[in-house]
Amino acid sequence: MNRTEGLVQRKHVVKENSDGSVKENQDADDKKNDKIFDDGDSKETRLTLMEEVLLLGLKDKEGYTSFWNDCISSGLRGCILIELALRGRIELERVGMRRKGLLSRKVIVKSDTPTGDVLLDEALKHMKDTDPPESVQSWIEYLSGETWNPMKLKYQLKNVRERLAKNLVEKGVLTTEKQNFLLFDMTTHPLTDNTIKCRLVKKVQEAALRRSITDVAHADKRSLALLMLAHSADVLENAFGPLSDEDYELATRRVRALLDLDFEAEAMRPEACDIMWAVFAAFTK
C-alpha cells in the first residue's frame, strides 16, 4: 500500500525496420522507467522495493525474518507487481463503458523488455505467457503459490527471500552465515552495512511524518509504495519502533489515513499508477 513517484519524460525515437516499416523505439522509455527505482539514495547501493521490505523485516544480528510473520511472503509479491509497474512493464486493462473495479481489471504487459532483475523478469515472463490475463489479486496468489488451482502452481516464485537476501549480499548490505537450530541448520544473512539499513529506516520514518504523504496526487510514488507495502508485509513496526511517542502516534495516524483512502478513486487520477492502487486494494479488502 504505497507508491512511488514520478514518471520521467522520455524521447521517443522512431526507427525504420529492415522491412521498411516504421517502429517506435521503446528503449528510451524502458531506460527511463528503470531509472525510477533510483529514488535518490546512494549511487553505490540502489535497492528495489522487494529488497527494502525484506531488509526492514530481517533481524540485524540474527539475519532472518520473524517466524511469526505470515504476511511478508505475499507482501514481497506485491512489491514485485508495483516494481514492474513503476518500471513501465505492466498496467491494468483500460476502463471501458462498464467500469470495472480495481480487483476485477486484468494485468496487461506493456513491455517485455528485461529489467535486469531475475525475480522481476521471471514474474514478467509468467504474465506475458498467460492468456487470458489475470487480476492483481490472482497474481499475488499465484506468485506466492497460495492457490487452489494446481495448474497455476507453475507460476510460483520460489525461494524469494533467499534470492533477495543474496542480492543484498552482493550489494554488500548483508553477509551469509550458517546457524544451527537444534534439528536443522539454516542459512542466515546478518547485517553488515548498518548505514544502508539506517538510511532505509529513516526514509520510511520521514515518509510517514511528511505531511505531503497524504496528498497522494503529489506524493512520491516510491515512498508511498514502500510505506504501504511495509505495512502489508507487517514490517512497518520495525521502522517506527525507534520513534518518539509523539512521532510514533503521528506516523501511525498518517498510515491509517492512507489505508482509509478510496483506492478506486485514487487510481483514476491522471498519472496514477493503477497497479499500485490495485495491490493496496488487494491487501486491504
Side-chain angles (χ1 to χ4, degrees), residues 50-136:
M50 304 90 73
E51 292 165 349
E52 288 178 324
V53 168
L54 178 67
L55 188 55
L56 286 174
L58 283 174
K59 300 175 184 293
D60 293 355
K61 294 182 179 179
E62 295 87 345
Y64 53 84
T65 57
S66 171
F67 294 128
W68 311 110
N69 188 339
D70 57 359
C71 300
I72 196 167
S73 178
S74 58
L76 289 173
R77 273 62 177 190
C79 291
I80 289 172
L81 292 174
I82 294 179
E83 189 75 56
L84 283 170
L86 293 175
R87 297 193 187 200
R89 297 314 195 270
I90 60 175
E91 64 182 356
L92 291 184
E93 64 179 335
R94 300 300 181 190
V95 177
M97 293 290 292
R98 183 174 175 274
R99 181 172 297 178
K100 294 183 179 180
L102 279 173
L103 297 182
S104 298
R105 294 162 64 188
K106 307 302 183 184
V107 176
I108 306 299
V109 174
K110 290 173 60 179
S111 169
D112 60 357
T113 303
T115 65
D117 182 283
V118 175
L119 276 173
L120 293 179
D121 290 342
E122 186 177 339
L124 184 61
K125 184 178 187 302
H126 288 327
M127 294 174 196
K128 178 177 180 292
D129 294 343
T130 300
D131 188 27
E134 299 279 3
S135 67
V136 161

Coordinates of all heavy atoms in Angstrom, one line a residue, residues 50-136:
M50 N 11.3 -4.8 -3.2 CA 11.4 -6.1 -2.6 C 12.6 -6.1 -1.6 O 12.4 -6.6 -0.5 CB 11.6 -7.2 -3.6 CG 10.5 -7.2 -4.7 SD 11.0 -6.2 -6.1 CE 12.3 -7.2 -6.9
E51 N 13.7 -5.6 -2.0 CA 14.9 -5.7 -1.1 C 14.7 -4.8 0.1 O 15.1 -5.1 1.2 CB 16.1 -5.3 -1.9 CG 16.5 -6.3 -3.0 CD 17.5 -5.7 -4.0 OE1 17.7 -4.5 -4.0 OE2 18.0 -6.5 -4.8
E52 N 14.0 -3.6 -0.1 CA 13.8 -2.7 1.0 C 12.9 -3.4 2.1 O 13.1 -3.3 3.3 CB 13.2 -1.4 0.5 CG 14.3 -0.6 -0.2 CD 13.7 0.7 -0.8 OE1 12.5 0.7 -1.2 OE2 14.4 1.7 -0.8
V53 N 11.8 -4.0 1.6 CA 10.8 -4.6 2.5 C 11.5 -5.8 3.2 O 11.3 -5.9 4.5 CB 9.6 -5.0 1.8 CG1 8.7 -5.9 2.6 CG2 8.8 -3.8 1.3
L54 N 12.2 -6.6 2.5 CA 12.9 -7.7 3.2 C 13.9 -7.2 4.2 O 14.0 -7.7 5.3 CB 13.6 -8.6 2.2 CG 14.4 -9.7 2.8 CD1 13.5 -10.7 3.4 CD2 15.3 -10.4 1.8
L55 N 14.7 -6.2 3.9 CA 15.7 -5.6 4.8 C 15.0 -5.1 6.1 O 15.6 -5.2 7.2 CB 16.5 -4.5 4.1 CG 17.7 -4.0 4.8 CD1 18.7 -5.1 5.2 CD2 18.4 -2.9 3.9
L56 N 13.8 -4.5 5.9 CA 13.1 -4.0 7.1 C 12.7 -5.1 8.0 O 12.6 -5.0 9.2 CB 11.9 -3.2 6.7 CG 12.1 -1.8 6.1 CD1 10.8 -1.2 5.6 CD2 12.7 -0.9 7.2
G57 N 12.4 -6.3 7.4 CA 11.9 -7.4 8.1 C 13.0 -8.3 8.7 O 12.7 -9.1 9.7
L58 N 14.2 -8.2 8.2 CA 15.3 -9.0 8.7 C 15.8 -8.5 10.1 O 16.0 -7.3 10.3 CB 16.5 -9.0 7.8 CG 16.4 -9.9 6.5 CD1 17.6 -9.6 5.6 CD2 16.3 -11.4 6.8
K59 N 16.1 -9.5 11.0 CA 16.7 -9.1 12.3 C 18.2 -8.9 12.0 O 18.9 -9.7 11.3 CB 16.6 -10.3 13.2 CG 15.1 -10.7 13.6 CD 15.1 -11.9 14.4 CE 13.7 -12.4 14.7 NZ 12.9 -11.4 15.5
D60 N 18.7 -7.8 12.5 CA 20.1 -7.3 12.1 C 21.1 -8.3 12.4 O 22.0 -8.6 11.6 CB 20.4 -6.0 12.8 CG 19.5 -4.8 12.4 OD1 18.7 -5.0 11.4 OD2 19.6 -3.7 12.9
K61 N 21.2 -8.9 13.6 CA 22.2 -9.8 14.0 C 21.9 -11.2 13.7 O 22.8 -12.0 13.3 CB 22.4 -9.7 15.6 CG 23.0 -8.3 16.0 CD 23.2 -8.3 17.5 CE 23.8 -6.9 17.9 NZ 24.0 -6.9 19.4
E62 N 20.6 -11.6 13.8 CA 20.3 -13.0 13.5 C 20.2 -13.3 12.0 O 20.6 -14.4 11.6 CB 18.9 -13.3 14.1 CG 18.9 -13.3 15.7 CD 18.6 -11.9 16.2 OE1 18.7 -10.9 15.4 OE2 18.3 -11.8 17.4
G63 N 19.8 -12.3 11.2 CA 19.8 -12.5 9.8 C 18.7 -13.3 9.2 O 18.8 -13.8 8.1
Y64 N 17.6 -13.3 9.9 CA 16.4 -13.9 9.3 C 15.1 -13.2 9.8 O 15.2 -12.4 10.7 CB 16.3 -15.4 9.8 CG 16.4 -15.6 11.3 CD1 15.2 -15.5 12.1 CD2 17.6 -16.0 11.8 CE1 15.3 -15.7 13.4 CE2 17.7 -16.2 13.2 CZ 16.5 -16.1 14.0 OH 16.6 -16.3 15.4
T65 N 14.0 -13.4 9.1 CA 12.8 -12.7 9.4 C 12.0 -13.5 10.5 O 12.4 -14.6 10.8 CB 11.8 -12.7 8.2 OG1 11.6 -14.0 7.7 CG2 12.5 -11.8 7.1
S66 N 11.1 -12.8 11.2 CA 10.4 -13.4 12.3 C 9.6 -14.7 11.8 O 9.0 -14.7 10.7 CB 9.4 -12.4 12.8 OG 8.5 -13.0 13.7
F67 N 9.7 -15.7 12.6 CA 9.0 -16.9 12.3 C 7.5 -16.7 12.3 O 6.7 -17.6 11.8 CB 9.4 -18.1 13.2 CG 10.9 -18.5 13.1 CD1 11.7 -18.5 14.2 CD2 11.4 -18.8 11.8 CE1 13.0 -18.9 14.1 CE2 12.7 -19.2 11.7 CZ 13.5 -19.3 12.8
W68 N 7.0 -15.7 13.0 CA 5.6 -15.4 13.2 C 5.0 -14.5 12.1 O 3.8 -14.3 12.2 CB 5.4 -14.8 14.6 CG 6.1 -15.6 15.7 CD1 7.2 -15.2 16.4 CD2 5.8 -16.9 16.1 NE1 7.5 -16.2 17.3 CE2 6.7 -17.2 17.2 CE3 4.8 -17.9 15.8 CZ2 6.7 -18.5 17.8 CZ3 4.8 -19.1 16.5 CH2 5.7 -19.4 17.5
N69 N 5.9 -14.0 11.2 CA 5.4 -13.1 10.2 C 4.9 -14.0 9.0 O 5.7 -14.5 8.2 CB 6.5 -12.2 9.8 CG 6.0 -11.1 8.8 OD1 4.9 -11.3 8.2 ND2 6.7 -10.0 8.7
D70 N 3.6 -14.1 8.9 CA 3.0 -14.8 7.8 C 2.5 -13.9 6.7 O 1.8 -14.3 5.8 CB 1.9 -15.7 8.2 CG 0.8 -15.0 9.0 OD1 0.9 -13.7 9.1 OD2 -0.2 -15.6 9.4
C71 N 2.9 -12.6 6.7 CA 2.4 -11.6 5.7 C 3.5 -11.2 4.7 O 3.2 -10.7 3.7 CB 1.9 -10.3 6.4 SG 0.6 -10.6 7.6
I72 N 4.8 -11.5 5.1 CA 5.9 -11.0 4.3 C 5.9 -11.6 2.9 O 6.3 -11.0 1.9 CB 7.2 -11.1 5.0 CG1 8.3 -10.2 4.4 CG2 7.6 -12.6 5.2 CD1 9.5 -10.1 5.2
S73 N 5.5 -12.9 2.8 CA 5.6 -13.6 1.6 C 4.7 -12.9 0.5 O 5.2 -12.6 -0.6 CB 5.1 -15.1 1.7 OG 5.1 -15.7 0.5
S74 N 3.4 -12.7 0.8 CA 2.5 -12.0 -0.1 C 2.9 -10.6 -0.3 O 2.8 -10.0 -1.4 CB 1.1 -12.1 0.3 OG 0.9 -11.6 1.6
G75 N 3.4 -10.0 0.8 CA 3.9 -8.6 0.7 C 5.0 -8.4 -0.3 O 5.0 -7.4 -1.1
L76 N 5.9 -9.3 -0.4 CA 7.0 -9.3 -1.3 C 6.5 -9.4 -2.8 O 7.0 -8.8 -3.7 CB 8.1 -10.3 -1.0 CG 8.9 -10.1 0.2 CD1 9.8 -11.3 0.6 CD2 9.8 -8.8 0.1
R77 N 5.5 -10.3 -3.0 CA 4.9 -10.4 -4.3 C 4.2 -9.1 -4.7 O 4.2 -8.7 -5.9 CB 3.9 -11.6 -4.3 CG 4.5 -12.9 -4.6 CD 5.5 -13.4 -3.6 NE 6.0 -14.7 -3.8 CZ 6.7 -15.4 -2.9 NH1 7.0 -14.9 -1.8 NH2 7.2 -16.6 -3.2
G78 N 3.6 -8.4 -3.8 CA 3.0 -7.1 -4.1 C 4.1 -6.1 -4.5 O 3.9 -5.3 -5.4
C79 N 5.2 -6.2 -3.8 CA 6.4 -5.4 -4.2 C 6.8 -5.6 -5.7 O 7.1 -4.7 -6.4 CB 7.6 -5.7 -3.3 SG 7.4 -5.2 -1.6
I80 N 6.8 -6.9 -6.1 CA 7.2 -7.2 -7.4 C 6.3 -6.6 -8.4 O 6.7 -6.0 -9.5 CB 7.3 -8.8 -7.6 CG1 8.4 -9.3 -6.8 CG2 7.3 -9.2 -9.1 CD1 8.5 -10.9 -6.7
L81 N 5.0 -6.7 -8.2 CA 4.0 -6.1 -9.1 C 4.2 -4.6 -9.2 O 4.1 -4.1 -10.3 CB 2.6 -6.5 -8.7 CG 2.2 -7.9 -8.7 CD1 0.8 -8.2 -8.1 CD2 2.2 -8.4 -10.2
I82 N 4.3 -4.0 -8.1 CA 4.4 -2.5 -8.1 C 5.8 -2.1 -8.8 O 5.8 -1.1 -9.6 CB 4.3 -1.9 -6.7 CG1 2.9 -2.1 -6.2 CG2 4.6 -0.4 -6.7 CD1 2.6 -1.6 -4.8
E83 N 6.8 -2.8 -8.5 CA 8.1 -2.5 -9.1 C 8.0 -2.6 -10.6 O 8.6 -1.8 -11.4 CB 9.2 -3.5 -8.6 CG 10.6 -3.1 -8.9 CD 11.2 -1.9 -8.2 OE1 11.2 -1.9 -6.9 OE2 11.6 -0.9 -8.8
L84 N 7.4 -3.7 -11.1 CA 7.2 -3.8 -12.6 C 6.4 -2.7 -13.1 O 6.7 -2.2 -14.2 CB 6.5 -5.2 -12.9 CG 7.4 -6.4 -12.8 CD1 6.6 -7.7 -12.9 CD2 8.5 -6.4 -13.8
A85 N 5.4 -2.3 -12.4 CA 4.5 -1.2 -12.9 C 5.3 0.1 -12.9 O 5.2 0.9 -13.9 CB 3.3 -1.0 -12.0
L86 N 6.1 0.4 -11.9 CA 6.9 1.6 -11.9 C 7.9 1.7 -12.9 O 8.4 2.7 -13.4 CB 7.5 1.8 -10.5 CG 6.5 2.1 -9.3 CD1 7.2 2.1 -8.0 CD2 5.7 3.4 -9.6
R87 N 8.4 0.5 -13.4 CA 9.4 0.4 -14.5 C 8.7 0.4 -15.8 O 9.4 0.1 -16.8 CB 10.3 -0.8 -14.2 CG 11.1 -0.7 -13.0 CD 12.2 -1.7 -13.0 NE 12.8 -1.8 -11.7 CZ 14.0 -2.3 -11.5 NH1 14.7 -2.8 -12.6 NH2 14.6 -2.4 -10.3
G88 N 7.4 0.6 -15.9 CA 6.7 0.6 -17.2 C 6.5 -0.7 -17.9 O 6.3 -0.7 -19.1
R89 N 6.5 -1.8 -17.1 CA 6.4 -3.1 -17.8 C 4.9 -3.6 -17.8 O 4.5 -4.3 -18.7 CB 7.2 -4.1 -17.1 CG 8.8 -3.9 -17.1 CD 9.2 -3.5 -18.5 NE 10.7 -3.6 -18.7 CZ 11.5 -2.7 -18.4 NH1 11.1 -1.5 -18.0 NH2 12.8 -2.9 -18.6
I90 N 4.1 -3.2 -16.7 CA 2.8 -3.7 -16.7 C 1.8 -2.6 -16.3 O 2.3 -1.6 -15.7 CB 2.6 -4.9 -15.7 CG1 3.0 -4.4 -14.2 CG2 3.4 -6.1 -16.1 CD1 2.8 -5.5 -13.2
E91 N 0.5 -2.8 -16.6 CA -0.5 -1.9 -16.2 C -1.8 -2.6 -16.1 O -1.9 -3.8 -16.5 CB -0.6 -0.7 -17.2 CG -1.0 -1.2 -18.6 CD -1.1 -0.1 -19.6 OE1 -0.9 1.1 -19.2 OE2 -1.4 -0.4 -20.8
L92 N -2.9 -2.0 -15.7 CA -4.2 -2.6 -15.7 C -4.9 -2.3 -17.0 O -4.6 -1.3 -17.7 CB -5.1 -2.1 -14.5 CG -4.7 -2.5 -13.1 CD1 -5.7 -1.9 -12.1 CD2 -4.5 -4.0 -13.0
E93 N -5.7 -3.3 -17.4 CA -6.5 -3.0 -18.6 C -7.3 -1.8 -18.5 O -7.7 -1.3 -17.4 CB -7.4 -4.2 -18.9 CG -8.5 -4.4 -17.8 CD -9.4 -5.6 -18.1 OE1 -9.6 -5.9 -19.2 OE2 -10.0 -6.1 -17.1
R94 N -7.6 -1.2 -19.6 CA -8.3 0.1 -19.6 C -9.7 -0.1 -19.2 O -10.4 -1.1 -19.3 CB -8.3 0.7 -21.1 CG -6.9 1.0 -21.6 CD -6.2 1.9 -20.8 NE -4.8 2.2 -21.3 CZ -3.9 2.9 -20.7 NH1 -4.1 3.4 -19.5 NH2 -2.7 3.1 -21.2
V95 N -10.2 1.0 -18.6 CA -11.6 1.0 -18.1 C -12.5 1.3 -19.3 O -12.4 2.2 -20.1 CB -11.9 2.1 -17.1 CG1 -13.3 2.2 -16.6 CG2 -11.0 1.9 -15.8
G96 N -13.5 0.4 -19.5 CA -14.4 0.5 -20.6 C -15.7 1.3 -20.2 O -15.8 2.0 -19.2
M97 N -16.7 1.1 -21.0 CA -18.0 1.8 -20.8 C -18.6 1.3 -19.4 O -19.1 2.0 -18.7 CB -19.0 1.4 -21.9 CG -18.6 2.1 -23.2 SD -18.8 3.9 -23.2 CE -20.6 4.0 -23.1
R98 N -18.4 0.0 -19.2 CA -18.9 -0.6 -17.9 C -17.7 -0.7 -17.0 O -16.9 -1.6 -17.1 CB -19.5 -2.0 -18.2 CG -20.0 -2.6 -16.9 CD -20.7 -3.9 -17.2 NE -21.1 -4.6 -16.0 CZ -20.4 -5.4 -15.3 NH1 -19.1 -5.6 -15.7 NH2 -20.8 -6.0 -14.2
R99 N -17.5 0.3 -16.2 CA -16.3 0.5 -15.4 C -16.1 -0.7 -14.4 O -17.0 -1.0 -13.6 CB -16.4 1.8 -14.6 CG -15.1 2.0 -13.8 CD -15.1 3.4 -13.2 NE -15.1 4.4 -14.2 CZ -15.2 5.7 -14.0 NH1 -15.3 6.2 -12.8 NH2 -15.1 6.6 -15.0
K100 N -15.0 -1.4 -14.5 CA -14.7 -2.5 -13.6 C -13.9 -2.0 -12.4 O -13.2 -1.0 -12.4 CB -13.8 -3.5 -14.3 CG -14.5 -4.2 -15.4 CD -13.5 -5.3 -16.0 CE -14.2 -6.1 -17.1 NZ -13.2 -7.1 -17.7
G101 N -14.1 -2.7 -11.3 CA -13.3 -2.3 -10.1 C -11.9 -2.7 -10.2 O -11.5 -3.5 -11.1
L102 N -11.0 -2.2 -9.4 CA -9.6 -2.4 -9.5 C -9.2 -3.9 -9.4 O -8.4 -4.4 -10.2 CB -8.8 -1.7 -8.3 CG -8.5 -0.2 -8.5 CD1 -8.0 0.3 -7.2 CD2 -7.6 0.0 -9.6
L103 N -9.9 -4.6 -8.6 CA -9.6 -6.0 -8.4 C -10.2 -6.9 -9.5 O -9.9 -8.1 -9.5 CB -10.1 -6.5 -7.0 CG -9.4 -5.8 -5.8 CD1 -9.8 -6.4 -4.5 CD2 -7.8 -6.0 -6.0
S104 N -11.0 -6.3 -10.4 CA -11.6 -7.1 -11.5 C -10.8 -6.9 -12.8 O -10.9 -7.7 -13.7 CB -13.1 -6.7 -11.7 OG -13.8 -7.0 -10.6
R105 N -10.1 -5.8 -12.8 CA -9.3 -5.5 -14.0 C -8.1 -6.4 -14.1 O -7.5 -6.7 -13.1 CB -8.9 -4.0 -14.1 CG -10.1 -3.1 -14.2 CD -9.8 -1.7 -13.8 NE -8.8 -1.0 -14.7 CZ -8.3 0.1 -14.4 NH1 -8.6 0.8 -13.3 NH2 -7.4 0.6 -15.3
K106 N -7.7 -6.7 -15.4 CA -6.6 -7.7 -15.6 C -5.3 -6.9 -15.8 O -5.2 -5.8 -16.2 CB -6.9 -8.5 -16.8 CG -8.3 -9.2 -16.8 CD -8.4 -10.1 -15.6 CE -9.8 -10.8 -15.7 NZ -10.0 -11.6 -14.4
V107 N -4.2 -7.6 -15.5 CA -2.9 -7.1 -15.6 C -2.4 -7.3 -17.1 O -2.4 -8.4 -17.6 CB -1.9 -7.8 -14.7 CG1 -0.5 -7.3 -14.9 CG2 -2.3 -7.5 -13.2
I108 N -2.0 -6.2 -17.7 CA -1.6 -6.3 -19.1 C -0.1 -5.9 -19.2 O 0.4 -5.0 -18.5 CB -2.3 -5.2 -20.0 CG1 -3.8 -5.4 -19.8 CG2 -1.9 -5.3 -21.4 CD1 -4.3 -6.8 -20.3
V109 N 0.7 -6.7 -20.0 CA 2.1 -6.4 -20.2 C 2.3 -5.3 -21.2 O 1.9 -5.5 -22.4 CB 2.8 -7.7 -20.6 CG1 4.3 -7.4 -20.9 CG2 2.8 -8.8 -19.5
K110 N 2.8 -4.2 -20.8 CA 3.1 -3.1 -21.7 C 4.4 -3.3 -22.5 O 4.5 -3.0 -23.7 CB 3.2 -1.8 -20.9 CG 2.0 -1.3 -20.3 CD 2.3 -0.1 -19.4 CE 2.9 1.1 -20.2 NZ 3.2 2.2 -19.3
S111 N 5.4 -3.9 -21.8 CA 6.7 -4.1 -22.4 C 7.3 -5.3 -21.8 O 7.3 -5.5 -20.5 CB 7.6 -2.9 -22.2 OG 9.0 -3.2 -22.5
D112 N 7.9 -6.2 -22.6 CA 8.5 -7.4 -22.1 C 10.0 -7.3 -22.1 O 10.8 -8.2 -21.9 CB 8.1 -8.7 -22.8 CG 8.5 -8.6 -24.3 OD1 9.0 -7.6 -24.7 OD2 8.2 -9.6 -25.0
T113 N 10.5 -6.0 -22.2 CA 12.0 -5.8 -22.2 C 12.5 -6.2 -20.8 O 11.9 -5.7 -19.8 CB 12.3 -4.3 -22.4 OG1 11.7 -3.9 -23.7 CG2 13.8 -4.1 -22.4
P114 N 13.5 -7.0 -20.7 CA 14.1 -7.4 -19.4 C 14.5 -6.3 -18.6 O 15.0 -5.3 -19.0 CB 15.3 -8.3 -19.8 CG 15.0 -8.8 -21.2 CD 14.2 -7.7 -21.8
T115 N 14.3 -6.4 -17.3 CA 14.6 -5.3 -16.3 C 16.1 -5.5 -15.8 O 16.6 -4.6 -15.3 CB 13.7 -5.4 -15.1 OG1 13.9 -6.6 -14.4 CG2 12.2 -5.3 -15.5
G116 N 16.6 -6.7 -16.0 CA 17.9 -7.0 -15.4 C 17.9 -7.6 -14.0 O 18.9 -8.0 -13.5
D117 N 16.7 -7.6 -13.4 CA 16.5 -8.3 -12.1 C 15.8 -9.6 -12.4 O 14.7 -9.7 -13.0 CB 15.6 -7.4 -11.2 CG 15.4 -8.0 -9.9 OD1 14.6 -8.9 -9.7 OD2 16.0 -7.5 -8.9
V118 N 16.4 -10.7 -11.9 CA 15.9 -12.1 -12.2 C 14.5 -12.3 -11.7 O 13.7 -12.8 -12.4 CB 16.9 -13.1 -11.6 CG1 16.3 -14.5 -11.8 CG2 18.3 -13.0 -12.1
L119 N 14.2 -11.9 -10.5 CA 12.8 -12.1 -10.0 C 11.8 -11.3 -10.8 O 10.7 -11.8 -11.1 CB 12.8 -11.6 -8.5 CG 13.2 -12.7 -7.5 CD1 13.2 -12.0 -6.1 CD2 12.3 -13.9 -7.5
L120 N 12.1 -10.1 -11.1 CA 11.2 -9.3 -11.9 C 10.9 -9.9 -13.3 O 9.8 -9.9 -13.7 CB 11.7 -7.8 -12.0 CG 11.7 -7.0 -10.7 CD1 12.3 -5.6 -11.0 CD2 10.3 -6.9 -10.1
D121 N 12.0 -10.3 -13.9 CA 11.9 -10.8 -15.2 C 11.2 -12.2 -15.2 O 10.5 -12.5 -16.2 CB 13.3 -11.0 -15.8 CG 14.0 -9.6 -16.1 OD1 13.2 -8.6 -16.2 OD2 15.2 -9.6 -16.3
E122 N 11.4 -13.0 -14.2 CA 10.7 -14.2 -14.1 C 9.1 -14.0 -14.0 O 8.3 -14.6 -14.6 CB 11.2 -15.0 -12.9 CG 10.6 -16.4 -12.8 CD 11.2 -17.2 -11.6 OE1 12.3 -16.9 -11.1 OE2 10.5 -18.2 -11.2
A123 N 8.8 -13.0 -13.1 CA 7.4 -12.7 -12.9 C 6.8 -12.1 -14.2 O 5.7 -12.4 -14.6 CB 7.2 -11.7 -11.8
L124 N 7.6 -11.3 -14.9 CA 7.1 -10.6 -16.1 C 6.9 -11.7 -17.2 O 5.9 -11.6 -18.0 CB 8.2 -9.6 -16.6 CG 7.8 -8.8 -17.8 CD1 6.6 -7.9 -17.6 CD2 9.0 -7.9 -18.2
K125 N 7.7 -12.7 -17.3 CA 7.6 -13.7 -18.3 C 6.3 -14.5 -18.0 O 5.5 -14.8 -19.0 CB 8.8 -14.7 -18.3 CG 8.7 -15.8 -19.4 CD 9.9 -16.6 -19.3 CE 9.9 -17.6 -20.5 NZ 8.7 -18.5 -20.5
H126 N 6.0 -14.8 -16.8 CA 4.7 -15.5 -16.4 C 3.5 -14.7 -16.9 O 2.6 -15.3 -17.5 CB 4.6 -15.7 -14.9 CG 5.6 -16.8 -14.4 ND1 6.0 -17.9 -15.1 CD2 6.2 -16.9 -13.2 CE1 6.8 -18.6 -14.4 NE2 6.9 -18.0 -13.2
M127 N 3.6 -13.4 -16.7 CA 2.4 -12.6 -17.1 C 2.3 -12.5 -18.6 O 1.2 -12.5 -19.1 CB 2.6 -11.2 -16.5 CG 2.5 -11.2 -15.0 SD 2.9 -9.5 -14.3 CE 3.2 -10.0 -12.6
K128 N 3.4 -12.4 -19.3 CA 3.4 -12.3 -20.7 C 2.8 -13.6 -21.3 O 2.1 -13.6 -22.3 CB 4.8 -12.1 -21.2 CG 4.9 -12.0 -22.8 CD 6.3 -11.7 -23.2 CE 6.4 -11.6 -24.7 NZ 6.3 -13.0 -25.3
D129 N 3.2 -14.8 -20.7 CA 2.8 -16.1 -21.3 C 1.4 -16.5 -20.9 O 0.9 -17.5 -21.3 CB 3.8 -17.1 -20.8 CG 5.2 -16.9 -21.4 OD1 5.3 -16.1 -22.4 OD2 6.2 -17.5 -20.9
T130 N 0.7 -15.7 -20.0 CA -0.6 -16.1 -19.5 C -1.7 -15.5 -20.4 O -1.8 -14.3 -20.6 CB -0.8 -15.7 -18.1 OG1 0.2 -16.3 -17.3 CG2 -2.1 -16.1 -17.5
D131 N -2.6 -16.4 -20.9 CA -3.7 -15.9 -21.7 C -4.9 -16.8 -21.4 O -4.8 -18.0 -21.5 CB -3.3 -16.0 -23.2 CG -4.4 -15.4 -24.1 OD1 -5.1 -14.5 -23.6 OD2 -4.6 -15.9 -25.2
P132 N -6.0 -16.2 -20.9 CA -6.2 -14.8 -20.8 C -5.5 -14.2 -19.6 O -5.1 -14.9 -18.7 CB -7.8 -14.7 -20.6 CG -8.1 -16.0 -19.9 CD -7.2 -17.0 -20.6
P133 N -5.4 -12.9 -19.5 CA -4.7 -12.2 -18.4 C -5.4 -12.4 -17.1 O -6.6 -12.8 -17.1 CB -4.7 -10.7 -18.8 CG -5.0 -10.7 -20.3 CD -5.8 -11.9 -20.5
E134 N -4.7 -12.2 -16.0 CA -5.2 -12.4 -14.7 C -5.2 -11.1 -13.9 O -4.6 -10.1 -14.3 CB -4.4 -13.4 -13.9 CG -4.4 -14.8 -14.5 CD -5.6 -15.6 -14.2 OE1 -6.5 -15.1 -13.6 OE2 -5.7 -16.8 -14.6
S135 N -5.9 -11.0 -12.8 CA -6.0 -9.8 -12.0 C -4.8 -9.7 -11.0 O -4.1 -10.7 -10.9 CB -7.3 -9.9 -11.2 OG -7.2 -10.9 -10.2
V136 N -4.7 -8.6 -10.4 CA -3.6 -8.3 -9.4 C -3.7 -9.3 -8.3 O -2.8 -9.9 -7.8 CB -3.7 -6.9 -8.9 CG1 -2.9 -6.8 -7.6 CG2 -3.0 -5.9 -9.9

